[in-house]
Amino acid sequence: MAKLSGKTALVTGASRGIGRAAAFALAEAGAKVFVHYSQAADEAEAVVAEIRGKGGEAEKFKADLSEATGPHQLAAEVAKATKKLDIVVANAGISTAATIEETKVEDFDRQFAVNVRAPFFLVQQLLPVLGDGSSIVLVSSLAARTAVGTLSAYAATKGAIDTLVKHFAFALGGRGIRVNAVAPGIVATDMSNFAKTDAGKEFALGIQAIKRVAQPTDISGAIAFLASDDSQWVTGDTIRVDGGSRL
Ligand SMILES: NC(=O)c1ccc[n+]([C@@H]2O[C@H](COP(=O)([O-])OP(=O)(O)OC[C@H]3O[C@@H](n4cnc5c(N)ncnc54)[C@H](OP(=O)(O)O)[C@@H]3O)[C@@H](O)[C@H]2O)c1
């Protein structure tokens, strides 16, 4: 059942992984999807082609969100392409595993640039084009809630997302704009390649209630739910989508 017909959605980092699955889920529900990517142009084009092949509407947009001006450029391109945006999924993210001792200033800064600064300024820059009643979905992580792996700098970026969700939701609620986040656990994507190894799989299953490794489609349904009016009374929340990790 299409619940997003007539809506236009931007998904950042939609060339691969969770963002790609989210783009497909939103298109499946009837939304026109702006597929953002940074380096993976062929993969982004394949996402656009697959959506169009199924009768949907999609366009791709390139922007490097590690650059301070990246979110501004992306928002300007989006504003040229549509008068009204209904859904933003700020999904693009990076992680660098490192112990506290090993963490380099440049890696720390790059993670905060892509994972926190970019969503903040993307939302800021999109405010004029975001329709009243629109939905913003940010992407947090299990790592914000509990110590997993050697990811303290990355985890701090996701802790910032959990905080931004509340402040953005309160500030934008007057326009009926809802702001939420999903917090995936370990998902088998390029970012969490270790989940595809035997040791990674064993670790994931050891901390999860549900005993299988999550795929991007395990997350995209929750993103589509938060994007749709089915979640019309949900705002300012981070929803765990982690197969019951570290309960
Ligand atoms: N996988 C997990 O276990 C897991 C768990 C919890 C939370 N998350 C979060 O879920 C989100 C998606 O992760 P994923 O696992 O799907 O990662 P992924 O497969 O590595 O994909 C990352 C996406 O982000 C984009 N991206 C990376 N650097 C960028 C930059 N500088 N500028 C613009 N876009 C950039 C990539 O675009 P290009 O390929 O085009 O460069 C790609 O589309 C992230 O926010 C991540 O922190 C993931």
Side-chain angles (χ1 to χ4, degrees):
M1 180 79 77
K3 291 179 174 165
L4 298 175
S5 298
K7 309 253 187 195
T8 302
L10 168 66
V11 183
T12 68
S15 47
R16 297 184 285 119
I18 294 167
R20 176 176 179 273
F24 288 144
L26 298 178
E28 184 84 6
K32 174 177 182 175
V33 182
F34 292 164
V35 173
H36 160 265
Y37 70 101
S38 174
Q39 302 297 319
D42 291 348
E43 287 87 341
E45 187 53 44
V47 173
V48 168
E50 187 165 335
I51 291 172
R52 288 181 181 163
K54 289 181 177 164
E57 285 183 89
E59 280 177 55
K60 70 181 195 307
F61 293 81
K62 178 178 166 71
D64 183 352
L65 297 177
S66 69
E67 299 285 340
T69 53
H72 303 68
Q73 286 166 6
L74 177 58
E77 291 299 317
V78 167
K80 267 191 245 165
T82 188
K83 286 195 174 67
K84 183 165 144 308
L85 189 66
D86 305 288
I87 297 157
V88 180
V89 181
N91 158 83
I94 54 170
S95 72
T96 306
T99 64
I100 298 168
E101 293 84 350
E102 289 164 355
T103 297
K104 298 189 177 88
V105 169
E106 52 269 35
D107 289 336
F108 185 98
D109 286 350
R110 192 173 171 86
Q111 289 177 88
F112 268 85
V114 176
N115 298 0
V116 184
R117 187 178 67 193
F120 186 105
F121 286 100
L122 184 62
V123 169
Q124 179 202 68
Q125 293 298 307
L126 286 171
L127 284 178
V129 79
L130 272 170
D132 290 358
S134 55
S135 174
I136 298 169
V137 183
L138 308 182
V139 180
S140 178
S141 170
L142 170 68
R145 179 170 67 80
T146 185
V148 276
T150 49
L151 290 167
S152 50
Y154 168 78
T157 69
K158 297 304 184 177
I161 290 298
D162 292 349
T163 299
L164 279 184
V165 157
K166 296 173 199 165
H167 287 261
F168 279 6
F170 195 76
L172 301 177
R175 286 180 55 192
I177 298 177
R178 296 183 299 107
V179 187
N180 293 290
V182 290
I186 297 165
V187 186
T189 65
D190 296 341
M191 177 181 284
S192 288
N193 253 329
F194 75 97
K196 298 169 189 166
T197 66
D198 286 346
K201 192 175 165 189
E202 194 183 342
F203 177 78
L205 269 50
I207 65 167
Q208 292 172 195
I210 297 176
K211 304 299 181 189
R212 66 172 174 78
V213 175
Q215 302 300 318
T217 47
D218 287 311
I219 314 303
S220 54
I223 293 174
F225 164 72
L226 288 173
S228 80
D229 289 344
D230 282 354
S231 60
Q232 64 186 4
W233 203 236
V234 182
T235 194
D237 208 359
T238 296
I239 298 185
R240 290 192 299 105
V241 190
D242 60 10
S245 292
R246 287 272 167 89
L247 292 174

